[in-house]
Amino acid sequence: MHKWIPLIVALVLNAGANVLMKVGANTARPLTDTASLWAKITNFLNVATILAIVLFAANVLAYRKALDNLSVSVAYPIMVSTGMILIAIVAATPLLGERIAIRQVAGMLLIALGVWLLASGWSANAQ
C-alpha cells in the first residue's frame, strides 16, 4: 500500500489544483479593454490561481516519486482518471455549483472499473 501513497498524494494535489483554477476563473472580475496590463495580470493571477500553480508543482514532485515504484503505464491512467472523478465530484458541490448528469455518473463508474482493473493487475515486476 505504501507504494501507492505518492500517487494518491499526486492525484489529490492535481485535482485540488484544477478545482482552484476554476475558483480563480470564477473570482476574476470582468475588465474593460482599457484596463492596464498590471490590472489584467493581477486579475488573472489571483490567490486561487497562484495556489493552484503551487499545487500543480507539488503534484509533479509527488508524481515523480510515485514513478519510483510504479510503471507509467499504470500510474498515469490511474492519476488522470481518478483525478477526473474527484474533480467532477467536487465540482458538483456548492463550491462550484456544477451539475452531474446520469450519463456522467455512468462514465465515472466505467472509469472507476478501469482504474480498479489497472491497479489490481499491477506488479512490482511490471516496470
Side-chain angles (χ1 to χ4, degrees), residues 80-124:
V80 172
S81 57
T82 306
M84 228 184 323
I85 294 170
L86 283 174
I87 292 165
I89 291 169
V90 172
T93 66
L95 177 67
L96 297 179
E98 297 182 9
R99 297 178 54 130
I100 298 178
I102 296 298
R103 201 175 232 188
Q104 289 171 297
V105 171
M108 284 187 261
L109 291 173
L110 288 172
I111 290 169
L113 175 63
V115 167
W116 178 78
L117 289 172
L118 274 171
S120 66
W122 179 83
S123 71

Side-chain angles (χ1 to χ4, degrees), residues 11-88:
L11 76 90
V12 169
L13 289 169
N14 186 284
N18 277 281
V19 169
L20 283 170
M21 280 290 185
K22 181 61 177 170
V23 170
N26 287 349
T27 57
R29 60 192 188 284
L31 297 175
T32 64
D33 292 337
T34 59
S36 70
L37 178 60
W38 181 249
K40 290 177 182 178
I41 290 171
T42 57
N43 190 46
F44 182 81
L45 290 177
N46 54 39
V47 173
T49 302
I50 292 170
L51 185 55
I53 292 167
V54 170
L55 290 184
F56 275 129
N59 158 61
V60 169
L61 298 175
Y63 182 64
R64 167 52 185 82
K65 182 65 179 162
L67 292 178
D68 285 347
N69 297 307
L70 299 170
S71 63
V72 72
S73 63
V74 171
Y76 185 73
I78 289 173
M79 188 179 82
V80 172
S81 57
T82 306
M84 228 184 323
I85 294 170
L86 283 174
I87 292 165

